[in-house]
């Protein structure tokens, strides 16, 4: 979690473009885990990944976090459904292994 100050619209525009550029330059960020025919856990990713399809950048206005008032324990609980799953829980689900969410400060 990184906190920023500034206009939410500017942050949304900046991070949307930045995530797209990162995924384009590093298509492995769009990996999903699955087992191959021998049962080995492997990461699969498309050769030309795009952030909008494979690593969606999301704005989560439904999550109320306050930089000043949210404890670490509460933050962990609030962010649970935004975090990537462990490798074991991700295998075979097509769940992304990397994603970015922008969450406005509740204050």
């Amino acid at each position: 979690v990184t906190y920023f100050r500034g206009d939410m619209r500017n942050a949304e525009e900046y991070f949307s473009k930045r995530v797209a550029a990162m995924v384009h330059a590093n298509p492995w960020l769009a990996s999903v885990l699955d087992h191959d025919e021998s049962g080995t856990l492997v990461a699969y990713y498309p050769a030309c990944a795009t952030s909008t399809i494979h690593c969606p950048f999301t704005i989560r206005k439904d999550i109320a976090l306050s930089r000043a008032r949210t404890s670490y324990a509460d933050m962990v609980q609030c962010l649970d459904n935004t975090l990537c799953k462990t490798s074991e829980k991700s295998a075979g689900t097509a769940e992304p292994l990397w994603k970015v969410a922008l969450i406005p400060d509740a204050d």
Side-chain angles (χ1 to χ4, degrees), residues 1 3 65-67 70-80:
V1 175
Y3 289 99
L65 287 181
S66 167
R67 178 178 169 182
T70 305
S71 70
Y72 180 77
D74 289 341
M75 183 187 319
V76 169
Q77 187 174 8
C78 285
L79 296 177
D80 185 56

Side-chain angles (χ1 to χ4, degrees), residues 47-95:
C48 51
T50 63
S51 65
T52 54
I53 296 171
H54 302 99
C55 293
F57 167 70
T58 57
I59 290 70
R60 297 295 304 266
K61 294 179 181 176
D62 60 311
I63 298 173
L65 287 181
S66 167
R67 178 178 169 182
R69 296 180 292 115
T70 305
S71 70
Y72 180 77
D74 289 341
M75 183 187 319
V76 169
Q77 187 174 8
C78 285
L79 296 177
D80 185 56
N81 69 350
T82 67
L83 302 175
C84 295
K85 296 177 181 175
T86 64
S87 297
E88 184 179 307
K89 291 181 180 177
S90 295
T93 67
E95 291 277 334

Side-chain angles (χ1 to χ4, degrees), residues 10-54:
N10 291 343
E12 183 177 339
E13 182 179 338
Y14 173 81
F15 283 110
S16 178
K17 290 177 183 176
R18 186 70 183 123
V19 168
M22 290 170 70
V23 173
H24 179 74
N26 303 282
W28 57 268
L29 290 173
S31 294
V32 295
L33 293 177
D34 208 343
H35 295 91
D36 67 10
E37 56 279 344
S38 69
T40 303
L41 185 63
V42 293
Y44 294 97
Y45 62 89
C48 51
T50 63
S51 65
T52 54
I53 296 171
H54 302 99

